[in-house]
Amino acid sequence: MSSDVKDTPTAVGPAVTRPQADSTSEAAAQAQVRPIVWTIAGSDSGGGAGIQADLLTIQDLGGHGCTAITAITAQSSVAVDHVEPISDAGFIAQLDTLWADLKPRAIKIGLLTGPEQVKLLADWLAQRQAEAPGSLPPIVLDPVLVASSGAMLNTTEASDQFDPLLPFIDILTPNGDELAALTGVVLDSPKAVVSACEQLLKRGAKAVLAKGGHLIFDGAETLHGQPAGPRCVDLLYSAELKALFDGPRIDTDNTHGSGCTLSSALATVLAQDYVMEDALAVVRAYLHNGLTASQRFGAGPGPLARTGWPTELASFPRVPLPGSALNRAYGLEAESEQAKLPEAPFTPCEVAELGVYPVVDSVEWVKRLLQLGVKTLQLRIKDQSPEAVEADIALAIELGHAYEARLFINDYWQLAIKHGAYGVHLGQEDMAIADLAAIQRAGLKLGLSTHGYFEILRAHALAPSYIAMGHIFPTPTKQMPSAPQGLTRLHNYVALVQPHRPAVAIGGIDIPRAFEVAKSGVGSIAVVRAVTQAKDVAEALGELQCAFESAPTLPTAAALAAQPQERECSDA
Ligand SMILES: Cc1ncc(COP(=O)(O)OP(=O)(O)O)c(N)n1
Ligand SMILES: Cc1nc(C(=O)O)sc1CCOP(=O)(O)O
Ligand SMILES: [Mg+2]
């Protein structure tokens, strides 16, 4: 693998074990493999929440946990009998000692026993920031007020008690009770949740995850447009992104430490450089699996099970589509902005694997590739008026049919419908503006671009004909707002997508890398330069094809053909 590829080898499973880790350089190498995650929280002697839950979670998701303990609690599954805050000196000593040697890639803050500890921590963070601007990693604050047994863990009820910390916090993760206590807003509707989040943003929070586990609104079932049973809807609210994560409410009372688990899981995934919305998608799936497999140990609610990095789509939340009833209930989009959602899945491609998939910018290239036997290809013309490109698009479509090939038209979906194309390829931003219902009704196949977990979930909800995942490696062909995904993530995405529909990898794939990419089991590789800049195009196509033939066939791809194409999110 090339060194410019951002890859996190521990994204799944345990770290690589090194035989001798006693030298400084060896220790540093270890630290790079498992990112260091701090938890600043209280000890739960019952092992279900607090520091104990955090360490288990951090380890389970591929991090190395370090702790700064804020309080000792005498706690079981049914009671909190004693809370003893650590001394100020003891608190700061832990932070200083860790900072000197074990710098964090992310921090989770849990129980702080009152305004004094909040101020101590805020001052300590401010000093680190002043000494080295930009040295603080992502910080998650779980504003713990009450234990799940109902006991108060925090000495004050002041709604502004966490405000000194807010400037340092990347995301605040209150449950319904905490959100109400921090804002004074009565959370009796989805829009009230939004206004509480808005208030916290005005007070300095960068983002809020308003957890829906405790929130039940009148008529909530009807918001989902389907008899789905009790749901849990979390709202991510920041200036840049407002998104819902919707999943079934798991029928268990083993929720002891669920807030601690969520926030430490989030810190651990953020420490592996995932963007917030992707990290939240993973964390919701982790909670789903942990609650589902949870067990009781004492007389009261048990803790969540530790089930490792989630890999199956069924564990992940649904991300409601633009124009969906759920988004409208939260007021996340104006009625006038509603996208036209299709009423049925898109026509599936008749093959489970799309193979070598060149993306080219002229009808001449389309013709040349068809003559060389290419069966999946895309015409991607950028920045021209529809009038200027119509004749070329019409001719390319005609050629595609003549050669019985799968020709996708990028962007110009109206022309693709008008001229009866095999399919259309659209980006994420197009999903909100294109008439997806018209594309589906016309029987055209639809391919969608994605760049991480969140976009994969949003694309999957539309039941497209394929999902493209990029950019795997750095590419000069297109300016990308997101980071390269790398091979480890690609493996995870393929496992998620390909049991349901064809997956396509794109971005920076040349012939040597095609062999690495094919090992992920992905059924298709989309390329621009590997074909258009090849000295010998026929030879390049042959070598790219070779990459697939040398790679193991994964059962997921083979299973696809037999899989009915269901639409996962019919909540319009
Ligand atoms: C197969 C495939 N995957 C991704 C893309 C990128 O599409 P999009 O996000 O719409 O960006 P542009 O190509 O329009 O710049 C693609 N074209 N093909
Ligand atoms: C058009 C395009 N879309 C991408 C995405 O990730 O969505 S990457 C990409 C460019 C791919 O070109 P090359 O094969 O030359 O790297
Ligand atoms: Mg496009």
Side-chain angles (χ1 to χ4, degrees), residues 37-42 50-51 54 68 70 91 95 106-113 117-118 121-122 124-125 137-144 162 165-166 168-173 259-260 263-264 267:
V37 180
W38 290 11
T39 162
I40 302 174
I51 289 280
D54 295 345
T70 57
F91 183 37
L95 299 172
I107 300 176
K108 168 250 160 89
I109 303 171
L111 174 64
L112 296 170
T113 54
Q117 275 191 351
V118 168
L121 182 54
W124 187 89
L125 291 168
I139 305 183
V140 179
L141 172 62
D142 185 24
V144 177
F162 296 108
L165 273 174
L166 293 184
F168 305 102
I169 301 304
D170 289 276
I171 185 160
L172 201 61
T173 60
C260 305
S263 50
S264 54

Side-chain angles (χ1 to χ4, degrees), residues 357 359 378 380 382 410-411 425-430 449 451 466 468 478 504 506 526:
Y357 179 176
V359 176
Q378 182 183 129
R380 175 176 179 265
K382 300 306 286 183
N410 189 299
D411 295 350
H425 182 95
L426 294 178
Q428 289 281 317
E429 56 292 349
D430 305 317
S449 298
H451 307 90
Y466 73 78
K478 178 178 171 182
V504 177
I506 185 168

Side-chain angles (χ1 to χ4, degrees), residues 482-508:
S482 49
Q485 300 292 315
L487 289 170
T488 305
R489 292 185 192 187
L490 175 66
H491 273 79
N492 290 337
Y493 300 156
V494 171
L496 218 56
V497 168
Q498 209 156 257
H500 302 270
R501 53 186 44 81
V504 177
I506 185 168

Side-chain angles (χ1 to χ4, degrees), residues 313-338:
L313 198 60
S315 314
F316 280 76
R318 300 186 320 169
V319 173
L321 293 164
S324 65
L326 201 54
N327 274 6
R328 290 203 305 278
Y330 279 78
L332 297 187
E333 50 198 282
E335 300 284 325
S336 58
E337 287 169 12
Q338 283 168 39

Side-chain angles (χ1 to χ4, degrees), residues 4-278:
D4 56 356
V5 176
K6 188 177 102 186
D7 233 343
T8 48
T10 56
V12 187
V16 176
T17 312
R18 291 166 192 269
Q20 291 166 342
D22 50 357
S23 74
T24 312
S25 61
E26 198 60 26
Q30 277 270 20
Q32 274 176 5
V33 173
R34 272 185 180 269
I36 293 172
V37 180
W38 290 11
T39 162
I40 302 174
S43 161
D44 170 5
S45 52
I51 289 280
Q52 287 80 352
D54 295 345
L55 282 178
L56 289 171
T57 303
I58 294 166
Q59 182 75 17
D60 198 31
L61 288 176
H64 169 74
C66 295
T67 65
I69 296 184
T70 57
I72 307 291
T73 72
Q75 192 173 165
S76 67
S77 64
V78 287
V80 181
D81 291 329
H82 187 77
V83 179
E84 186 168 321
I86 187 102
S87 68
D88 292 357
F91 183 37
I92 295 299
Q94 294 175 81
L95 299 172
D96 285 343
T97 298
L98 289 178
W99 188 257
D101 181 46
L102 295 159
K103 289 237 168 31
R105 290 280 296 277
I107 300 176
K108 168 250 160 89
I109 303 171
L111 174 64
L112 296 170
T113 54
E116 300 77 19
Q117 275 191 351
V118 168
K119 175 142 184 14
L120 272 178
L121 182 54
D123 289 349
W124 187 89
L125 291 168
Q127 282 162 21
R128 302 293 79 73
Q129 185 79 289
E131 279 163 15
S135 61
L136 291 176
I139 305 183
V140 179
L141 172 62
D142 185 24
V144 177
L145 297 176
V146 181
S148 54
S149 58
M152 283 302 287
L153 289 168
N154 182 294
T155 55
T156 175
E157 289 179 18
S159 62
D160 60 354
Q161 62 177 300
F162 296 108
D163 284 18
L165 273 174
L166 293 184
F168 305 102
I169 301 304
D170 289 276
I171 185 160
L172 201 61
T173 60
N175 61 31
D177 295 338
E178 291 157 351
L179 186 60
L182 294 182
T183 60
V185 174
V186 178
L187 301 177
D188 55 1
S189 70
K191 286 183 181 148
V193 176
V194 170
S195 76
C197 291
E198 187 63 42
Q199 187 198 120
L200 288 172
L201 254 53
K202 287 199 182 113
R203 281 160 52 183
K206 291 188 196 71
V208 179
L209 179 73
K211 294 180 294 191
H214 297 196
L215 294 171
I216 297 173
F217 307 120
D218 285 349
E221 340 54 80
T222 62
L223 299 180
H224 303 273
Q226 53 190 335
R231 311 291 299 174
C232 171
V233 180
D234 295 339
L235 168 66
L236 166 63
Y237 200 86
S238 70
E240 301 79 38
L241 185 62
K242 291 148 186 74
L244 295 168
F245 297 83
D246 167 34
R249 192 182 296 266
I250 308 299
D251 184 19
T252 177
D253 64 358
N254 293 331
T255 56
H256 185 61
S258 52
C260 305
T261 304
L262 185 148
S263 50
S264 54
L266 182 54
T268 310
V269 181
L270 290 173
Q272 294 171 53
D273 295 329
Y274 285 87
V275 295
M276 188 63 77
E277 58 273 26
D278 287 351

Side-chain angles (χ1 to χ4, degrees), residues 380 449 451 470-471 475 477-478 480 506-509 526-529:
R380 175 176 179 265
S449 298
H451 307 90
H471 53 310
T475 174
T477 304
K478 178 178 171 182
M480 302 298 304
I506 185 168
I509 303 174
V527 291
V528 177
R529 289 163 305 138

